[in-house]
Amino acid sequence: MANIRLDVNHMMKDFLGERGIDGAEMNALSASLSNAYKAVEAGRGKGMQGWMDLPYNQDEILEEVEETAKGIRERFDAFVVLGIGGSALGPAAVQQALNHLHYNELPKEKRNAPKLYIEDNIDPERMAALMDVVDVRTTCFNVISKSGGTAETMSQYLIVLEKLKEACPNDYQKRIVVTTSKTKGFLIELARAEGFKTFYIPDGVGGRFSELCPVGLLAAAVCNIDIRALVAGAKKMDERCNSGDMTKNPALYEAGLMYLCMQKGMNISVMMPYADSLKLISDWYAQLWAESLGKNVTLDGKPCHVGSTPVKTLGVTDQHSQLQLYTEGPFDKAITFLKVENFRAVTPIPHGCENVPKIAFLGGKSHNQLIEAERRGTEYALYRSGRMSQTITLDEVNADTVGQLLYFFELVTAYTGALLNIDTFNQPGVEESKVAAYAVMGYESEEHNRKREEMKNRPEEKNAYIFE
Ligand code: PA5
């Protein structure tokens, strides 16, 4: 299986000119990069870095996941993930990458597995819509929550539980699988009391680093994705990045580039896959990058406001939407292309319109050629306007290369966090919004009562600023 390839030429001064990153700047950073590598390695498997063990310590779990997935495939027509943030973005990204682009619409005999729905929001219309398209009697619900207390997921759980109890009073328990912490939160207690099948999220694995544990593995295995190859791809990337020398560790080099971009005020990281299959990798990356690096205090307690804003786009679609801004707007972005060398389909473009040369020239070529020509066109337009870009190439999109890609970005994020000297693995800003939402919903506890009072102390809103 081929390694994924990182090409950063278009980031560098040698190629891009004045606006690029100087090799000398990278050399000056090499000691800090080496220290960042050491810091990340020192934390391997400890604290919130349990995700670094996932490529290595899951033999039994993989077996149990595959076994459970087999049973689910045999018994159910639909598999529904109830989760949000890190409990939903990974499963969605991997399904989009590794299964048919219209998976749910395929006839059952071609799918050979249940339909998959990932319900990561609580738009009131959404649950109603889901209930219109699934029969709860033949649906398996996977409730995923690390904390076991996230309002969105737990409210979905309550809705589903009631419906299941109505429809299958004698064996509703067999239609719920819970994936949560073994030691924390209420969900594990509920699951044990009800006798639901459970999978555990290791304590040292945060939501956004959890795709390669049962959070992501179960849905993938249910849908016949080769989870062993996914994990093996991650392991391959981990071994490839086993060096504190930036020239031998692509994730470390990449972290250095991203760090220098931030230092230069290029605080926007645009992810632009040129493949529909990789579209949701951008969503997954956006959470990983934003939640990990957007922090206001350093590890030694000094105030800081760091991070860079991830932007999710899709080539070529967004050439016709955002590229104008990227080429002529502010110099505040670095664009990452995800390129696929060999697509899983070849779509030839037939000859025709021979009397219209501007169209006829497309005949005899293919969408495979056109999409890469468009990517190169965009890369060139960015180059011409002095904008940074880089390309990560996947020989093909398969479980191995996707495993490599996910783990690559996890390492880049961890190294970048170490360079910024922040806690990459917490999310106090998210917790703040969770507490505030519970307070608004009337939850009674000292913390939430205090929050309600605090929220009242905001300035009065002025009618002058409201336009009706
Ligand atoms: O990355 C994170 O920690 C968060 O985005 C969580 O995944 C998200 O808030 C959902 O939390 P939980 O899995 O505890 O329900």
Side-chain angles (χ1 to χ4, degrees), residues 147-183:
S147 62
T150 301
E152 295 87 342
T153 308
M154 296 319 293
S155 64
Q156 290 173 324
Y157 166 73
L158 289 172
I159 294 166
V160 161
L161 187 67
E162 185 184 67
K163 291 200 183 299
L164 281 174
K165 281 184 172 172
E166 272 166 28
C168 332
N170 299 325
D171 62 353
Y172 67 90
Q173 297 92 336
K174 295 190 178 141
R175 290 165 173 80
I176 295 184
V177 178
V178 162
T179 307
T180 190
S181 162
K182 191 176 188 175
T183 52

Side-chain angles (χ1 to χ4, degrees), residues 109-409:
E109 57 283 5
K110 284 205 174 162
R111 251 188 292 116
N112 283 320
K115 292 183 180 180
L116 177 68
Y117 298 92
I118 296 177
E119 298 302 309
D120 64 347
N121 206 358
I122 44 162
D123 178 324
E125 292 174 25
R126 185 136 165 198
M127 193 51 92
L130 177 73
M131 290 304 156
D132 285 341
V133 297
V134 301
D135 177 348
V136 292
R137 291 167 306 175
T138 55
T139 300
C140 179
F141 294 89
N142 185 195
V143 187
I144 308 180
S145 175
K146 169 89 188 276
S147 62
T150 301
E152 295 87 342
T153 308
M154 296 319 293
S155 64
Q156 290 173 324
Y157 166 73
L158 289 172
I159 294 166
V160 161
L161 187 67
E162 185 184 67
K163 291 200 183 299
L164 281 174
K165 281 184 172 172
E166 272 166 28
C168 332
N170 299 325
D171 62 353
Y172 67 90
Q173 297 92 336
K174 295 190 178 141
R175 290 165 173 80
I176 295 184
V177 178
V178 162
T179 307
T180 190
S181 162
K182 191 176 188 175
T183 52
K184 294 181 191 137
F186 302 110
L187 187 52
I188 188 61
E189 288 168 28
L190 297 173
R192 284 187 185 135
E194 292 276 14
F196 300 144
K197 170 76 190 154
T198 49
F199 284 100
Y200 300 124
I201 308 175
D203 283 343
V205 177
R208 55 193 178 273
F209 288 85
S210 68
E211 172 51 26
L212 299 171
C213 82
V215 167
L217 297 179
L218 182 60
V222 166
C223 298
N224 283 317
I225 287 167
D226 183 349
I227 56 173
R228 286 176 193 269
L230 196 65
V231 171
K235 180 167 175 246
K236 184 188 288 182
M237 182 53 72
D238 192 46
E239 287 167 356
R240 193 175 158 196
C241 295
N242 183 19
S243 172
D245 175 346
M246 65 178 185
T247 62
K248 298 192 175 119
N249 179 340
L252 194 59
Y253 201 92
E254 172 68 5
L257 291 177
M258 291 294 112
Y259 176 78
L260 288 176
C261 282
M262 289 183 221
Q263 302 302 305
K264 291 167 184 286
M266 267 167 299
N267 277 329
I268 298 178
S269 165
V270 178
M271 184 64 64
M272 198 164 190
Y274 272 71
D276 278 25
S277 60
L278 300 178
K279 180 178 175 179
L280 298 185
I281 295 284
S282 301
D283 287 44
W284 171 85
Y285 166 79
Q287 185 208 17
L288 180 73
W289 196 243
E291 229 171 67
S292 300
L293 303 182
K295 298 289 155 69
N296 68 5
V297 64
T298 63
L299 283 174
D300 35 11
K302 297 202 183 83
C304 67
H305 290 279
V306 295
S308 89
T309 304
V311 173
K312 315 179 269 190
T313 61
L314 178 67
V316 303
T317 307
D318 284 303
Q319 281 177 217
H320 302 273
S321 155
Q322 300 194 34
L323 188 57
Q324 173 61 33
L325 171 72
Y326 299 170
T327 51
E328 294 190 3
F331 286 87
D332 55 4
K333 300 171 196 66
I335 286 93
T336 302
F337 298 117
L338 300 181
K339 169 183 162 185
V340 175
E341 199 81 62
N342 298 294
F343 284 83
R344 290 167 293 200
V346 175
T347 302
I349 306 171
H351 289 284
C353 303
E354 300 305 344
N355 52 354
V356 188
K358 265 191 158 175
I359 299 175
F361 87 99
L362 293 168
K365 306 208 173 70
S366 68
H367 269 174
N368 306 59
Q369 287 169 288
L370 184 57
I371 195 167
E372 173 55 8
E374 299 240 16
R375 192 197 65 77
R376 284 174 60 187
T378 300
E379 184 183 64
Y380 184 70
L382 290 168
Y383 160 78
R384 283 267 300 171
S385 58
R387 315 299 161 126
M388 289 179 179
S389 73
Q390 56 180 351
T391 301
I392 299 174
T393 304
L394 284 70
D395 182 39
E396 59 178 49
V397 179
N398 57 40
D400 174 75
T401 53
V402 169
Q404 293 182 50
L405 191 65
L406 297 178
Y407 201 83
F408 171 77
F409 285 128

